[in-house]
Amino acid sequence: MEKTIYEIRYNDWFRVRMESEREPMEEIEFVKAALEAVMADIVFRVRDHSGTMGDTETLWRWICTQIGFALQKTALAPNSEQGPLDTVISVVSRLKGETK
């Protein structure tokens, strides 16, 4: 079977490239797999980082803020006047409530 190559580029700084030896993934499956790979990489890098707890907290605050900004561009977060971290909290609370 032919390899399927998925690639994300960011401002000519770096490229995330994934190869699949299975059937090609649907777009949403790729997004989930790419996010999981990037998050796993962040976790491993931060775990081995010799910085302070403040450095780690700053990084995760930034990550959650970026997730909040992304959520504000979706129908999940109709109140875009909230701060991005408040958006994350409200969306997660609503999603958590739906899974009970």
Side-chain angles (χ1 to χ4, degrees):
M1 176 178 290
E2 183 176 316
K3 285 186 180 180
T4 305
I5 300 172
Y6 302 89
E7 191 170 275
I8 300 171
R9 293 176 185 253
Y10 181 73
N11 292 342
D12 295 327
W13 284 3
F14 64 89
R15 162 176 82 182
V16 176
R17 184 179 174 117
M18 297 171 57
E19 294 180 9
S20 175
E21 294 183 7
R22 299 180 182 180
E23 294 294 323
M25 286 187 267
E26 296 292 329
E27 185 175 339
I28 195 72
E29 290 173 334
F30 169 68
V31 170
K32 289 163 58 176
L35 180 60
E36 186 176 0
V38 169
M39 295 298 282
D41 184 61
I42 290 169
V43 168
F44 287 129
R45 288 174 190 269
V46 171
R47 184 182 64 193
D48 295 334
H49 181 66
S50 60
T52 66
M53 177 65 98
D55 292 340
T56 302
E57 187 175 287
T58 299
L59 174 64
W60 283 102
R61 182 179 296 115
W62 181 85
I63 291 168
C64 291
T65 299
Q66 297 310 307
I67 291 170
F69 283 134
L71 283 169
Q72 288 177 346
K73 295 178 180 15
T74 70
L76 291 174
N79 183 1
S80 63
E81 294 191 17
Q82 286 183 321
L85 293 176
D86 292 326
T87 298
V88 171
I89 291 168
S90 65
V91 170
V92 168
S93 294
R94 188 169 60 241
L95 293 174
K96 185 177 178 185
E98 291 174 4
T99 59
K100 288 182 179 178

